Amino acid sequence: MSAFDGLDPRLTKCLARRGIAEPTEPQSLALPAILSGDNVLLVAPTGIGKTEAAMLPVLQKLSEGDRGGIRCVYVTPLRALNRDLWHRLRELCEALDLRIGVRHGDTPQSERTAQSKNPPDVIITTPETLQIMFTGRNLRAHLTKVRFVIIDEIHELAEDERGAQLSVALERLANLAGEYQRIGLSATVGSIGEICGYLGGSGREVTTLRVSAVKDMRVRVESPVGDEGDRSLADRLQTDTKHLACMSRCRRLVDEHRSTLLFVNTRDSAEALGVRYHLWDDSFAVGVHHGSLSKMIRVQMEDEFKSQKLRALICTSSLELGIDVGSADFTIQFNSPRQVTRLIQRVGRAGHRHDAVSLGAVISTGPLETAESLVIARRAMVEELEKYAIRGNPLGVLANQLVAMTLTEPRVDKEEAFETIARAYPFRRLPRSDFDEALRLLAELHMIWNDEGSFRRKTTGRTYFYDNISMIPDERTYRIMEVSSRAIIGTLDESFVASYAEPYATFVARGRTWRVVEVDEDDVLVEEVHEIGATPSWVGEEIPVPYEIAQEVGAMRRLLTLGVYPGDDDAKREIRAWVEAQGDLPLPTDKTVTIEQGDGVIVINCCFGSKVNETLAKLITSLLAARFGESVGVQTEPYSIVLETPRGVSAGDVLKVMRETDPDTLEQLMRIVLRNSSYLRWQFIHVAKKFGAVRKDADYRMLNVSKLMEVFEHTPIFEEAIAKTLWENMDVETTSAVLHRMQAGGIEVTVGPLSSIGEQAIGKRQELMQPRRADRTVLMALKTRLLSEDVVMVCMNCRIQRRSTVENLPDRIRCQKCDGVLLAAIQPYAKKEFALLRKGAAGDEETKLLKKLYKNANLVMAHGRKAVMALVARGVGPDTAGRILARYHLEEYEFLKDILEAEVSYARTKRFWD
């Protein structure tokens, strides 16, 4: 008997028109369970009808029940998913004379008003919009009719503060509408029990239905070998031959398939890869898609990919979820995806049909990437997923929801409020003292009135609530606007704009390079140029590598049992050569940590993953700094910790910290260490905003953060900032266990000189960008770029202008009209300089600029074309250029190296100092 047999004939006819005659496996499992009234968690691969598995039985029951009000709430993590779902479900709803609507931040006001007056039976929304729906009198009345809540991509929501906020909203909805049926949908879940607990809350049973995500999945790891014959192309693209070989392999795979999704881990990697493909061959039909591009650009990319105008789409986690991008038949992951669940989710986007096999390849650019990719691919094929934990008692969410409650009731009973919040899974162990302390602080901050047995609304509380509906940490962003068309290309984070986006600087967005024309209060005005610019950085990019993955990479080094891993011959040869290059020096593995001493640097090779290594690094650097009275530079990776140490610090000192620190006191020690950490300062501001202690639009640079931290030191704000930092960036529990094993001899710790693996750790894991050391290849690429730059030579005597490339200038430059030798080198888009030369200096600022131009011209007179090369470099003004040119008598290598260092300094390449 088919699961479709009991459905309304109107539904089966609608399905038949779509060519669906038989249910898929998840539909066969879910329909009976949902029709029987069970709360259900359905875990199944992408593209095999999970949405219909949930909605068909719900629509059936809606068609049989009483009409009126919103009876089903469908929650998704992304607005783009809402749009796709509406298109998929509208026909099914109309077949049963049911109405379906979408409500989120982009919904027009006219549509919102119509929904308030005449609500749809089914509403598709986001967690944030659901919060707002509680506050509207009419919508709140419509929500009393809710009988079903479906949470799509539940694993994406449950893990963070958005999920905690939603879990409380589900309990508030139960207070309002009575008990309703809960259905959760997910493609990948590592800890079923956690997600079931999250979905059900306290005291409710949840039935788990699971379909294998990998039985129809094929994935392999490849590590293409670089060809020195491609050196000139690699130089032009400012990369190395290994990365070029990986790009070439990706391109061949794209050419062999109809539609390919090319996943990378970060937005800056997407941009770096996209711009290089466009500079290599502009006819290669590849687009770029990530969350910092404008909605218009993202939709354009999706539509062009669906219509196959684009053969490939370079994307981040923005396309991991179920957004409809048509029928991709292949997935490429560029370098390790860092986590098993991400690989399954991404490869699952290919063959996006229930009868198709999902095909994918991981293309890796180095031995560490290859090893990690092999481990993740093996684990994916046997569904060994990462363990999943939901953070308990996020106090910022507690504050948010306490204020939210006051907007829907004239007076909120404290006992009832506590019971409601404690039913939500993240708050199931909430101490009453934390609840009371949060109320007390909110009253002090004038967010609520705190009475004896109840609390109530204050006018400022409403403003606070609407400013802080989203629990996502916010950094101010600037729009990227094309200067001629005024089209919005995307956004840049404030930190990147402040450190790099000055006039004439170039950067990458949408896989193209743009030159900054002007920066105003909210926008960065740009125009397109054909070169490789700086790659922006965005907040919250890096994906942490779990402890279990890093440990297996260490075990692979130790055992070399490569036959169990799905990699090609080149990948496995690379791993063997990597291990053999270690020679007679100790090999860092899952059971061995090596501490290696270099010149001013100590490398700790330890296969413990991102969060454990971050915790160890904090421990070691803080204790060393306290002992020696000097700061210690640190760079952490999942397999290494690199310390830049002051004189007198030895590898033995690091070993002593590891052996003598009491693991049982680690959490308390970390809490003390974090008080002086830059991590905590940023986190503190975010938490303070969520409590209403700091305005949402407050400029971080204008705040006295130290004073604020001192004022709120013994409050929930400070405690929440520490707890959140420990949870998001560190793993104290596992680190404590690792220290116990080291001290008991279960993990061997050795001290020695720098090894091959240690030197690679200093070089750091690379994704695509040029190696940081200034070798000849890098410098020659820099020289080529500088010589090809456009420049306008302006005579400071007769003001005549001459435009040229730097390469076409003579060694000694003279004015062609008056034969003057005082010529300034100006970028073609330097509007202020050209305006000044036309009208002359009138004020102090213009006088300073004119002096700068004369300094520029004096350098050109003294050093000719070499001065122009320095002056057209990014961010190199006359003062810096003068210092560089004063050293030029050394040799060209030193000259170019100084320019490169100046450019890197200008871009403020990040280095974290404890």
Side-chain angles (χ1 to χ4, degrees):
M1 179 177 173
S2 168
F4 286 172
D5 289 348
L7 290 179
D8 188 300
R10 292 173 293 176
L11 280 178
T12 53
K13 283 181 183 177
C14 187
L15 292 171
R17 286 196 296 272
R18 297 182 179 184
I20 303 171
E22 293 295 326
T24 62
E25 185 178 355
Q27 290 164 0
S28 294
L29 291 171
L31 264 68
I34 295 172
L35 285 170
S36 70
D38 291 350
N39 296 316
V40 169
L41 173 64
L42 176 59
V43 182
T46 302
I48 59 172
K50 282 197 305 293
T51 301
E52 287 74 13
M55 284 303 295
L56 287 172
V58 167
L59 293 177
Q60 172 92 3
K61 295 174 84 171
L62 289 177
S63 70
E64 298 167 352
D66 295 333
R67 302 287 176 120
I70 297 170
R71 294 182 290 151
C72 175
V73 178
Y74 196 120
V75 181
T76 78
L78 296 175
R79 295 178 187 179
L81 279 175
N82 294 355
R83 184 177 67 242
D84 288 343
L85 282 165
W86 184 79
H87 286 295
R88 283 176 69 180
L89 298 175
R90 180 178 55 173
E91 185 183 2
L92 293 173
C93 289
E94 289 175 349
L96 298 177
D97 297 320
L98 298 171
R99 296 172 58 246
I100 184 169
V102 174
R103 191 179 183 98
H104 52 59
D106 292 335
T107 304
Q109 184 59 47
S110 59
E111 191 173 337
R112 296 184 196 206
T113 303
Q115 289 171 352
S116 178
K117 293 177 179 177
N118 186 18
D121 300 282
V122 178
I123 194 155
I124 303 170
T125 191
T126 59
E128 291 76 20
T129 302
L130 179 59
Q131 291 286 326
I132 297 173
M133 288 170 68
F134 282 114
T135 65
R137 185 180 60 188
N138 291 345
L139 284 172
R140 184 173 166 79
H142 299 322
L143 288 175
T144 62
K145 305 297 184 181
V146 168
R147 294 295 171 260
F148 305 93
V149 171
I150 300 169
I151 306 176
D152 206 351
E153 307 290 358
I154 190 170
H155 62 286
E156 281 289 318
L157 287 169
E159 65 182 347
D160 58 22
E161 290 184 344
R162 289 182 83 201
Q165 183 189 51
L166 176 60
S167 71
V168 177
L170 295 178
E171 299 306 327
R172 293 172 61 200
L173 184 58
N175 289 347
L176 192 63
E179 287 299 323
Y180 50 82
Q181 193 171 352
R182 302 177 181 217
I183 301 163
L185 305 177
S186 177
T188 48
V189 175
S191 300
I192 294 289
E194 281 282 276
I195 302 300
C196 282
Y198 173 83
L199 177 62
S202 297
R204 302 181 189 91
E205 293 295 322
V206 175
T207 299
T208 302
L209 305 174
R210 188 166 191 171
V211 177
S212 172
V214 300
K215 65 180 182 180
D216 293 319
M217 180 181 291
R218 306 287 182 271
V219 63
R220 66 181 182 273
V221 178
E222 302 181 20
S223 182
V225 178
D227 184 349
E228 282 301 312
D230 293 331
R231 172 62 66 184
S232 61
L233 177 58
D235 289 350
R236 182 163 72 86
L237 298 181
Q238 294 184 33
T239 189
D240 55 36
T241 55
K242 172 67 173 177
H243 282 87
L244 182 60
C246 293
M247 289 177 62
S248 299
R249 178 56 180 154
C250 290
R251 183 170 180 175
R252 286 197 300 275
L253 288 169
V254 169
D255 290 338
E256 290 169 10
H257 295 88
R258 184 182 66 256
S259 296
T260 301
L261 290 172
L262 201 168
F263 279 99
V264 294
N265 292 333
T266 61
R267 287 168 277 184
D268 54 350
S269 296
E271 293 292 4
L273 198 57
V275 74
R276 282 163 173 79
Y277 274 126
H278 286 302
L279 284 173
W280 181 2
D281 182 358
D282 207 31
S283 67
F284 182 44
V286 61
V288 173
H289 187 290
H290 59 72
S292 288
L293 293 174
S294 69
K295 177 185 174 183
M296 180 184 72
I297 296 294
R298 291 198 307 272
V299 171
Q300 177 191 338
M301 293 293 109
E302 292 164 20
D303 290 343
E304 289 182 0
F305 185 73
K306 277 190 272 191
S307 66
Q308 296 184 22
K309 183 177 178 181
L310 292 176
R311 293 286 302 278
L313 201 53
I314 302 170
C315 50
T316 61
S317 54
S318 61
L319 285 184
E320 264 181 33
L321 305 183
I323 298 170
D324 181 17
V325 286
S327 183
D329 62 339
F330 198 72
T331 297
I332 299 171
Q333 168 67 44
F334 195 86
N335 275 330
S336 162
R338 311 294 182 238
Q339 297 171 356
V340 178
T341 50
R342 289 188 181 271
L343 182 63
I344 292 173
Q345 192 92 339
R346 292 172 178 186
V347 175
R349 295 310 309 270
H352 200 73
R353 300 192 319 274
H354 72 90
D355 58 346
V357 174
S358 296
L359 300 174
V362 183
I363 308 300
S364 64
T365 60
L368 191 53
E369 294 286 354
T370 302
E372 190 175 281
S373 299
L374 288 169
V375 167
I376 289 172
R378 184 201 69 76
R379 286 176 165 250
M381 299 314 294
V382 295
E383 292 192 88
E384 290 182 21
L385 307 180
E386 293 86 15
K387 297 301 179 186
Y388 188 101
I390 294 172
R391 180 178 167 229
N393 304 329
L395 298 181
V397 175
L398 174 62
N400 173 276
Q401 289 301 282
L402 289 172
V403 176
M405 288 177 175
T406 67
L407 303 185
T408 59
E409 300 287 344
R411 189 176 292 273
V412 184
D413 183 83
K414 288 184 180 179
E415 291 299 326
E416 290 179 6
F418 180 75
E419 288 172 9
T420 298
I421 290 170
R423 287 202 310 268
Y425 187 75
F427 294 98
R428 64 196 182 280
R429 299 191 184 97
L430 176 68
R432 180 57 191 258
S433 58
D434 285 1
F435 175 87
D436 292 335
E437 187 63 17
L439 283 175
R440 184 196 62 77
L441 180 58
L442 287 169
E444 285 185 7
L445 294 170
H446 306 291
M447 297 296 118
I448 61 170
W449 292 105
N450 188 18
D451 301 328
E452 185 67 30
S454 62
F455 56 100
R456 51 198 168 90
R457 175 176 32 188
K458 232 180 179 183
T459 305
T460 48
R462 176 176 286 274
T463 304
Y464 154 84
F465 173 74
Y466 284 107
D467 279 347
N468 290 279
I469 288 169
S470 173
M471 299 308 298
I472 301 170
D474 43 39
E475 178 176 11
R476 183 184 175 191
T477 58
Y478 287 76
R479 295 182 302 178
I480 309 168
M481 182 182 290
E482 206 278 321
V483 69
S484 57
S485 68
R486 303 314 249 197
I488 304 300
I489 296 157
T491 62
L492 293 172
D493 281 354
E494 182 179 29
S495 56
F496 181 79
V497 174
S499 63
Y500 190 80
E502 296 183 4
Y504 327 126
T506 58
F507 67 91
V508 177
R510 210 189 82 191
R512 307 281 179 173
T513 299
W514 308 89
R515 176 183 275 123
V516 177
V517 176
E518 187 177 339
V519 179
D520 64 23
E521 192 171 333
D522 298 305
D523 302 314
V524 178
L525 301 180
V526 298
E527 61 186 358
E528 187 174 354
V529 293
H530 297 284
E531 60 180 68
I532 292 179
T535 307
S537 58
W538 285 280
V539 169
E541 285 280 276
E542 289 301 325
I543 301 169
V545 176
Y547 173 77
E548 295 80 10
I549 299 295
Q551 281 282 278
E552 188 171 337
V553 169
M556 177 193 289
R557 284 174 177 168
R558 178 169 56 87
L559 301 171
L560 286 178
T561 52
L562 301 180
V564 301
Y565 295 101
D568 68 359
D569 290 341
D570 286 335
K572 293 177 181 180
R573 272 194 293 271
E574 184 177 46
I575 298 299
R576 290 191 184 93
W578 182 43
V579 172
E580 289 167 4
Q582 194 73 353
D584 296 330
L585 293 174
L587 182 69
T589 68
D590 56 327
K591 296 185 176 181
T592 302
V593 171
T594 65
I595 306 175
E596 301 177 359
Q597 182 91 49
D599 183 14
V601 67
I602 295 171
V603 180
I604 308 163
N605 293 303
C606 42
C607 301
F608 299 139
S610 302
K611 290 189 175 182
V612 172
N613 282 2
E614 194 67 56
T615 313
L616 277 175
K618 275 289 176 195
L619 170 70
I620 293 165
T621 54
S622 60
L623 293 182
L624 289 179
R627 179 180 169 189
F628 289 92
E630 291 187 56
S631 294
V632 178
V634 62
Q635 170 188 298
T636 61
E637 292 289 317
Y639 305 93
S640 62
I641 301 168
V642 179
L643 307 176
E644 295 188 29
T645 56
R647 231 172 246 181
V649 178
S650 69
D653 296 315
V654 175
L655 179 62
K656 187 176 180 182
V657 169
M658 290 180 165
R659 286 187 172 163
E660 295 184 1
T661 299
D662 181 355
D664 296 329
T665 64
L666 184 60
E667 181 170 356
Q668 192 57 38
L669 188 56
M670 284 297 101
R671 285 178 171 273
I672 295 170
V673 167
L674 282 176
R675 290 169 182 267
N676 297 316
S677 164
S678 58
Y679 282 177
L680 186 65
R681 294 169 69 85
W682 185 88
Q683 197 70 264
F684 176 84
I685 292 299
H686 166 63
V687 174
K689 286 180 179 181
K690 295 309 171 190
F691 269 85
V694 173
R695 288 197 329 271
K696 181 184 177 181
D697 60 353
D699 188 339
Y700 179 90
R701 296 166 297 180
M702 303 301 290
L703 295 173
N704 186 337
V705 181
S706 298
K707 183 65 176 175
L708 276 172
M709 292 175 73
E710 184 182 320
V711 168
F712 290 103
E713 183 170 4
H714 300 292
T715 70
I717 295 177
F718 199 88
E719 286 306 308
E720 170 67 358
I722 289 179
K724 198 166 185 292
T725 303
L726 287 172
W727 177 266
E728 292 182 356
N729 301 106
M730 300 182 188
D731 184 347
V732 172
E733 183 179 349
T734 307
T735 307
S736 178
V738 164
L739 288 172
H740 272 298
R741 286 174 60 202
M742 285 182 187
Q743 293 169 10
I747 298 175
E748 182 185 7
V749 184
T750 69
V751 174
L754 270 182
S755 68
S756 172
I757 288 175
E759 289 175 353
Q760 289 169 21
I762 294 172
K764 195 181 177 184
R765 179 204 304 264
Q766 294 171 348
E767 296 253 348
L768 184 74
M769 301 309 292
Q770 190 80 349
R772 288 172 68 184
R773 68 183 190 280
D775 61 17
R776 185 179 182 282
T777 303
V778 178
L779 297 178
M780 290 304 102
L782 172 65
K783 180 180 179 181
T784 300
R785 195 197 84 217
L786 294 176
L787 289 173
S788 65
E789 288 277 357
D790 285 333
V791 67
V792 177
M793 303 304 303
V794 179
C795 178
M796 300 303 291
N797 178 40
C798 68
R799 297 295 198 263
I800 195 73
Q801 300 175 12
R802 172 191 173 194
R803 182 164 179 158
S804 171
T805 62
V806 177
E807 188 172 23
N808 289 331
L809 292 172
D811 285 336
R812 292 293 170 184
I813 304 167
R814 306 181 77 94
C815 176
Q816 293 177 332
K817 182 179 180 181
C818 70
D819 204 34
V821 293
L822 206 57
L823 288 88
I826 302 178
Q827 300 279 7
Y829 306 96
K831 292 189 292 186
K832 285 184 180 178
E833 283 85 343
F834 288 124
L836 172 67
L837 290 168
R838 280 196 304 272
K839 67 179 185 179
D844 290 344
E845 186 177 346
E846 291 171 328
T847 301
K848 286 180 183 177
L849 184 57
L850 191 61
K851 287 180 179 177
K852 192 175 177 181
L853 285 174
Y854 274 106
K855 191 180 290 186
N856 174 318
N858 277 311
L859 288 173
V860 174
M861 181 175 65
H863 300 281
R865 190 172 65 174
K866 309 308 187 292
V868 180
M869 284 179 68
L871 289 164
V872 297
R874 294 168 190 146
V876 177
D879 291 336
T880 304
R883 288 193 294 272
I884 292 171
L885 291 162
R887 286 166 41 83
Y888 179 65
H889 63 276
L890 296 175
E891 57 177 19
E892 184 181 58
Y893 175 91
E894 295 294 340
F895 170 64
L896 292 170
K897 182 169 172 287
D898 283 353
I899 291 178
L900 179 64
E901 287 177 357
E903 288 198 332
V904 168
S905 174
Y906 177 65
R908 297 186 186 177
T909 299
K910 289 184 178 178
R911 175 172 293 175
F912 172 71
W913 286 89
D914 193 313

